[in-house]
Amino acid sequence: MDAGCPRLPDTVLFEIFLYLDHADVLSVGLVCQQWRAVARDEFLWKELFYRYYRVSRDVPRHPGAVSWYDEFQRLYDTIPCVEVQALKEHNDQVLHLSFSHSGCLFASCSKDCTVKIWSNELDISLQHSSNMRPYNWSYTQFSQFNSDDSLLLVSGVFVGPHNSSSGEIAVISMENFTLLSRVRNKPYDVFGCWLNETNLISGNLHRIGRITSCSVLWLNNAFQGIESENVNVVKRLFKIQNLNASTIRTVMVADCSRYDSPDLLLDYEEQLAASSTCPVFDLGSDSEEEEAKPKLPPEPAVQELPDAGGVPAEHGLQQLFGDIMEGRVRPAMTETELETKVAELFVRNRTKPPEPNLLPTDSNSKTKYLIFTTGCLTYSPHQIGIKRILPHQMTTAGPVLGEERRSDEFFDSLDHVIDIHGHIIGMGLSPDHRYLYVNSRAWPRDCVISDPMQPPPIAEEIDLHVFDLKTMKEVKRALRAHRAYTPNEECFFIFLDVSRDFVASGAEDRHGYIWDRHYNICLAKLQHDNVVNSVAFSPVEQELLLTASDDTTIKVWRSPRAVRIRQARRPRPRKLLFSWLMNQKS
């Protein structure tokens, strides 16, 4: 092959390789003598990389890469895009997937009202299945392992009296798969989450008016049935007012302790600064690229709290009612607008102020953030609320209603609010909890919401935003490729997941998607026969990805490199046949 390989100018050879398939580029390069001669030419591989992947030249090389050739190979060889197994034990839509922290197990939730536990070995196999219908559940929708993988939180939709639906959380022991406790959860799409090894967070909703309510977030001990006679097993964490039919949903907890040592810095200037003190990383030799400053989106809006030092709420209410009775309010308020105005005035002097200095300054801080979707204009979730959880709040010990507060501090305020200007349909944290990824479907630009019960139409294209929880700013541009078609009033959650180098998401277009976190490019589309509801990377092996779909299957995807390694480990059929023949002879 080498002898017959014609001698071409390097630039011509390079142009030919631009039109080859990714695998062909690597395989042909192995047998062509001339290409081997230039294979380590960084300039050629750099040009090939930028043009092949259509990456902006402002983007430097991945901080962990040693060469452009290795980067080109990494983005081909380590993406989990090869289907190796399809699991068909569910008999209805599969809604959610979650791995244990060890990566040895994962759980799946489904409209068939079961939660299934799978063993992640060479070939994935079903280990246990729990049917929740005996507990009046309609279906299971979410699961999460606690930090030591001894307990599994399972969230579902509970059918109560008169067919009213709420939510419920069940805690299952991983030692013997017994049900330890059940906790009511309202609304059901709060989902619930672990705060630490033995305590979980649930929600409750109290109606105050037609479009005004109060969300209460509770801390629950997982062993309620065992410990309830001796110690407190529940404690109120926060009580937050909701306006314009909004509610708190989709709670999750972020640990601030690793913010100063993330797995991957997404801000290129921070990468450059880190490289000056960390010689392990090589950012490449082109200083112009390294110094290029990315254009960041505007800083997300922070919700401003009413000034408590202004007119007292009681005087404000009296003045509002006087203006209404004497006809000084023009134009006339609708019933909805009046309820919202009264609620805002009522809460003005009855809210505990936000915690000062939200951003963590101590890298060893034990502070955690409670993150959830919320809103202020309409019932569809369009804001992300962030509330700091202090160390003394992380236990159910103490008064059931939480720490003592003044009588006028009836509600808790949010410490930070990020406005998405669209319907939020998914959230996920990076493994180091430094970055929050958010799936959303945008509202029309400059839209005005006059009725909270009629939110604006939403785009079919899904935007995947990235927020730095250390700075509370959006970083990079939104990732795009995936789509959704369900209208606003029927919109449902599409779960995403983040590994060290990749981010993946489901979509309604019958595909799962994988992007590279550093280069902000889409790397793979993973096909199903229906909506892809959830994706999950193995926490110990990012070259393994699971996807769950309305087609009732769970698909297992591995990288080309992992497939080659697995095939090399398997015994060859010829050897097995030879051994069998020898045994027959003997």
Side-chain angles (χ1 to χ4, degrees), residues 17-36:
F17 271 59
L18 280 178
Y19 292 96
L20 294 176
D21 179 80
H22 200 153
D24 295 335
V25 172
L26 296 172
S27 59
V28 173
L30 294 175
V31 298
C32 178
Q33 184 180 34
Q34 182 185 349
W35 187 252
R36 284 206 301 271

Side-chain angles (χ1 to χ4, degrees), residues 124-143:
I124 292 171
S125 59
L126 180 63
Q127 186 169 346
H128 177 77
S129 180
S130 292
N131 182 10
M132 302 304 292
R133 289 201 191 279
Y135 306 101
N136 290 333
W137 283 29
S138 178
Y139 57 88
T140 59
Q141 61 176 353
F142 175 84
S143 65

